[in-house]
Amino acid sequence: MHKPYIKQQVSQALSEDLNGQTAFDGDITAQLIPATQQATGKVITRELAVICGVEWVNETMKQVDSSLVVTWLVKDGDEVKPDQTLFIVKGAARAILTAERTALNFLQTLSATATSTHKYVSKVKALGSTTKILDTRKTIPGLRFAQKYAVKCGGGENHRIGLFDAYLIKENHIQAAGGITQAVARAQELNPNKTIEVEVESEQELMEAIEAGAHIIMLDNFDVAQTASAIALADGRVKLEASGNMDGEKFKAYAQLNVDFISIGGLTKHIEAIDLSMRFTEI
């Protein structure tokens, strides 16, 4: 992750909490505490999780009060258990309390994405499958790069970062461009070094996309049997991606086919924040 991106993101989040004011002026509740009061805070997780968000927490503490000292007992990508201590922060009590919610918002959200991803990756490994888990662009607005990073911390792969770094030619693109062959040819002409992925709805479209030179093909609403047939037809000439509400037994069935990729929008959009808690241990 790029430091300037994290810095900007934290600054925006703190501005929301403080109404664009300084930490001292914006946090009226913290003003109840003497400015000289020192404290030590301990943050724990109340549930199993995969951690992500260390640098967001560090940056939040730094922007509120650069004299705060944060000591981490875990790192991004670590699996943690309920009641495990994640980090300890020491310094001005006012500053710790002002930074607390913003810091934990980042940590609980990004850890949720990492944890969700890890669950799917673990299922694939348990099945002995070679399938890779991909994210999508269905991310929380403003958290695109952060959640993509969290997916990596959970053991998944990034599909593409945005609209700029790879082609994903879907039904409406195909229709507007005049067909699969025409769309792929135009992409090759405009950006020959970019990955070209095409979404197909039939075996006929699959073959057309392969012949046109697509690098990856997304199988739109292909059932398990159709996906198995597509794998046989592709015969290793192109990577195949299965997508669409991949939960439970359905996910297991596709993973057992060893399809190259399974993309899951839920990694970033259907997340439940990890339950974290901070308590002062010394005042």
Side-chain angles (χ1 to χ4, degrees):
M1 291 303 304
H2 298 294
K3 292 283 187 179
Y5 167 79
I6 297 174
K7 183 176 180 180
Q8 179 184 24
Q9 204 167 52
V10 168
S11 177
Q12 181 178 354
L14 286 171
S15 181
E16 290 175 344
D17 223 8
L18 299 167
N19 196 30
Q21 302 176 83
T22 64
F24 175 78
D25 294 324
D27 187 349
I28 61 174
T29 309
Q31 293 175 17
L32 304 176
I33 302 167
T36 57
Q37 180 68 63
Q38 299 291 294
T40 299
K42 179 175 73 172
V43 172
I44 67 169
T45 175
R46 297 193 182 278
E47 59 184 304
L48 290 168
V50 174
I51 293 303
C52 180
V54 168
E55 290 304 321
W56 282 263
V57 172
N58 291 342
E59 182 63 27
T60 301
M61 299 296 178
K62 178 182 177 181
Q63 289 193 26
V64 171
D65 184 345
S66 61
S67 69
L68 292 177
V69 177
V70 182
T71 302
W72 283 93
L73 303 180
V74 298
K75 63 183 183 298
D76 284 346
D78 281 356
E79 298 177 53
V80 297
K81 300 177 180 179
D83 299 321
Q84 185 171 338
T85 300
L86 306 181
F87 70 88
I88 295 168
V89 55
K90 296 183 178 182
R94 279 187 177 184
I96 293 173
L97 292 171
T98 298
E100 174 190 1
R101 178 40 50 203
T102 296
L104 294 191
N105 281 350
F106 281 117
L107 190 61
Q108 70 187 17
T109 302
L110 299 184
S111 294
T113 292
T115 302
S116 175
T117 304
H118 178 72
K119 290 177 180 177
Y120 283 101
V121 171
S122 296
K123 290 178 182 178
V124 167
K125 289 181 179 178
L127 292 168
S129 172
T130 58
T131 297
K132 296 184 181 300
I133 302 301
L134 299 179
D135 54 24
T136 72
R137 286 172 49 243
K138 297 173 183 176
T139 53
I140 298 171
L143 286 180
R144 169 67 58 79
F145 290 96
Q147 285 194 292
K148 291 281 188 176
Y149 170 72
V151 166
K152 297 286 284 185
C153 287
E157 302 287 342
N158 296 148
H159 188 277
R160 56 176 176 162
I161 301 302
L163 296 171
F164 59 91
D165 58 327
Y167 286 99
L168 178 48
I169 303 170
K170 305 186 78 171
E171 178 184 7
N172 289 329
H173 298 102
I174 292 168
Q175 183 178 1
I180 291 174
T181 300
Q182 293 87 335
V184 172
R186 183 61 173 155
Q188 292 169 333
E189 178 185 348
L190 292 173
N191 290 288
N193 296 320
K194 298 288 187 183
T195 298
I196 301 173
E197 179 168 0
V198 178
E199 181 183 65
V200 302
E201 299 180 345
S202 67
E203 289 186 352
Q204 180 180 352
E205 289 187 347
L206 168 67
M207 297 309 297
E208 183 181 355
I210 292 173
E211 292 169 6
H215 303 112
I216 305 172
I217 296 176
M218 180 188 291
L219 307 174
D220 182 35
N221 292 319
F222 277 46
D223 62 24
V224 175
Q226 289 170 325
T227 300
S229 178
I231 292 172
L233 285 170
D235 193 26
R237 289 176 291 171
V238 66
K239 299 291 187 181
L240 298 179
E241 174 188 336
S243 181
N245 300 314
M246 291 290 177
D247 293 315
E249 289 301 312
K250 180 179 179 181
F251 172 83
K252 180 179 178 180
Y254 282 88
Q256 286 177 321
L257 292 175
N258 286 318
V259 65
D260 296 292
F261 306 111
I262 295 178
S263 57
I264 304 171
L267 300 181
T268 51
K269 68 170 183 171
H270 293 158
I271 56 172
E272 184 173 346
I274 301 302
D275 189 3
L276 307 175
S277 176
M278 189 188 83
R279 290 289 184 270
F280 279 160
T281 58
E282 295 179 20
I283 291 291

